[in-house]
């Protein structure tokens, strides 16, 4: 008796065994990663250029920058150098990523990965040191602030720390480290026995009165210090207010603690975002660096 055998139909999925199609998919993935790295590093290169331009602007023409920003308290000497150096470093790192990804150069991609890894390690180290040495760091900051207050305006050529502290008092709305009485130690602000003590104009509380005289005094005082005769300024050029005037009564130590408590979530979020961004760029760069030669060698073999 004849038996009719039906063909067996396999339900298992069939996969393409074409190696050239597989290589094309890998090549497309590498191209996507390459242009992704290029675009993002190009953005950071432009950002670094803008930061460098701001720093150079402050170094070349401080007076116009103060007028443009509209702030009386600007630590120009410190931030101009910080902005310029940060801009150069950002541009250099982004340039490595752009050229390395676009030209598919393994040496530049490896250097880009190494610099990102070094930057990430420095940030982790700083975070650990700040968390473990917090008490020691607070004591060191207190000593630095009190030393800055004591030597306030004694040396006309070295005002970077003093301008930074004026800016901190202005932004945090505070006066002194523990209280405004810390300014009694300032040699240039000491009054006679018959006079009341003085504090700098950065302690001026503009919300307590509608009088803007304190701001006007400080603004024109700082503009005069930025001019060509800055080295000739005398004691009378220091903007100071009586301690009994409308000033902030809270010390900056308490104001700084309140600011950190209110902004701790934002600070942690920014740090995590920067860290994840660096890890993402490191992962993409090392993946591209390790697979470029491997994929293109196999493609050349099949063509």
């Amino acid at each position: 008796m004849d038996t009719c055998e039906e063909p067996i139909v396999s339900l298992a999925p069939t996969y393409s065994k074409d190696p050239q199609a597989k290589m094309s998919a890998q090549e497309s993935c590498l191209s996507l990663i390459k242009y992704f790295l290029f675009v993002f590093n190009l953005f950071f290169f432009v950002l670094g250029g803008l930061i460098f331009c701001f720093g150079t602007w402050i170094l070349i023409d401080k007076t116009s920058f103060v007028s443009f920003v509209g702030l009386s308290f600007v630590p120009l000497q410190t931030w101009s150098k910080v902005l310029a150096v940060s801009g150069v470093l950002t541009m250099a790192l982004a340039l490595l990523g752009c050229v390395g990804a676009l030209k598919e150069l393994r040496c530049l991609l490896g250097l880009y990965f190494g610099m990102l890894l070094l930057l990430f390690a420095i940030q982790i180290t700083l975070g650990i040191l700040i968390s473990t040495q917090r008490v020691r760091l607070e004591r060191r900051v207190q000593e630095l602030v009190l030393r800055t207050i004591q030597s306030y305006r004694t040396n006309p050529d070295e005002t970077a720390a003093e301008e930074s502290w004026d800016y901190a008092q202005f932004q945090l709305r505070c006066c002194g480290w523990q209280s405004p009485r810390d300014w009694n130690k300032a040699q240039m602000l000491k009054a006679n026995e018959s006079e009341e003590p003085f504090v700098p104009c950065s302690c001026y509380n503009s919300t307590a009165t509608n009088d803007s005289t304190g701001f006007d005094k400080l603004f024109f005082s700082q503009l005069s210090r930025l001019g060509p005769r800055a080295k000739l300024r005398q004691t009378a050029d220091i903007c100071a207010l009586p301690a009994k005037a409308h000033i902030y009564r809270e010390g900056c130590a308490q104001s700084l603690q309140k600011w950190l408590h209110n902004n701790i979530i934002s600070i942690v979020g920014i740090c995590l975002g920067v860290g994840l961004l660096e890890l993402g760029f490191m992962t993409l760069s090392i993946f591209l660096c390790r697979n470029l030669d491997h994929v293109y060698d196999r493609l050349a073999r099949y063509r």
Side-chain angles (χ1 to χ4, degrees):
M1 185 173 61
D2 296 335
T3 59
C4 181
E5 295 182 358
E6 297 181 358
I8 300 176
V9 178
S10 176
L11 299 179
T14 59
Y15 298 96
S16 175
K17 295 183 180 180
D18 187 4
Q20 189 170 0
K22 186 177 180 180
M23 287 295 99
S24 298
Q26 292 183 3
E27 185 180 4
S28 301
C29 180
L30 288 179
S31 298
L32 180 63
I33 295 175
K34 177 179 71 174
Y35 289 111
F36 181 83
L37 277 176
F38 171 76
V39 170
F40 270 84
N41 280 282
L42 182 63
F43 168 77
F44 282 105
F45 181 81
V46 175
L47 181 63
L50 293 176
I51 295 174
F52 175 74
C53 290
F54 268 103
T56 307
W57 181 16
I58 298 173
L59 288 173
I60 295 176
D61 191 1
K62 300 177 182 179
T63 305
S64 64
F65 182 82
V66 172
S67 303
F68 174 77
V69 175
L71 290 178
S72 303
F73 308 95
V74 182
L76 297 175
Q77 295 182 358
T78 302
W79 287 107
S80 60
K81 299 175 183 178
V82 171
L83 289 175
V85 173
S86 300
V88 170
L89 293 178
T90 303
M91 291 173 64
L93 184 60
L95 185 62
L96 286 177
C98 283
V99 178
L102 188 63
K103 298 297 183 180
E104 300 177 357
L105 299 176
R106 296 187 62 185
C107 57
L108 292 184
L109 288 174
L111 184 59
Y112 176 74
F113 171 81
M115 292 184 66
L116 280 179
L117 182 61
L118 178 61
L119 183 62
F120 184 75
I122 292 175
Q123 293 172 351
I124 295 296
T125 304
L126 287 177
I128 294 174
L129 289 177
I130 291 174
S131 61
T132 56
Q133 304 291 329
R134 184 176 56 185
V135 177
R136 192 173 182 180
L137 180 62
E138 290 177 356
R139 190 183 306 115
R140 177 60 180 168
V141 171
Q142 180 179 353
E143 293 175 356
L144 179 62
V145 170
L146 294 178
R147 192 183 308 118
T148 302
I149 291 175
Q150 186 176 1
S151 60
Y152 188 78
R153 302 306 179 193
T154 56
N155 190 350
D157 298 327
E158 299 179 2
T159 59
E162 298 161 4
E163 290 178 352
S164 299
W165 182 242
D166 275 333
Y167 184 75
Q169 289 189 143
F170 175 71
Q171 290 294 330
L172 294 176
R173 300 178 182 273
C174 56
C175 187
W177 180 249
Q178 296 294 342
S179 68
R181 288 191 297 271
D182 292 334
W183 285 103
N184 296 339
K185 303 176 183 178
Q187 299 178 3
M188 301 298 291
L189 297 179
K190 282 185 178 180
N192 300 327
E193 296 181 357
S194 59
E195 296 179 351
E196 55 183 314
F198 287 87
V199 296
C201 288
S202 55
C203 294
Y204 182 71
N205 187 358
S206 61
T207 59
T209 176
N210 294 327
D211 184 16
S212 61
T213 306
F215 282 121
D216 295 338
K217 287 181 180 179
L218 181 63
F219 183 71
F220 291 113
S221 175
Q222 181 151 349
L223 288 182
S224 65
R225 292 201 302 269
L226 299 176
R229 296 185 178 181
K231 295 183 179 180
L232 301 178
R233 67 175 183 269
Q234 304 294 330
T235 305
D237 294 328
I238 299 176
C239 181
L241 296 171
K244 293 183 180 180
H246 297 285
I247 63 173
Y248 299 113
R249 301 297 174 181
E250 187 178 45
C252 291
Q254 294 82 2
S255 298
L256 183 59
Q257 291 178 356
K258 291 181 180 179
W259 184 87
L260 290 174
H261 181 267
N262 295 331
N263 297 276
I264 187 64
I265 297 179
S266 300
I267 295 173
V268 173
I270 292 174
C271 292
L272 287 177
V274 172
L276 291 176
L277 190 64
E278 291 173 349
L279 285 176
F281 283 149
M282 283 191 291
T283 303
L284 293 178
S285 62
I286 198 64
F287 178 81
L288 187 63
C289 182
R290 290 173 59 90
N291 289 275
L292 279 176
D293 292 345
H294 176 69
V295 172
Y296 290 124
D297 287 344
R298 294 181 63 180
L299 277 174
R301 193 183 309 163
Y302 286 113
R303 288 174 179 174

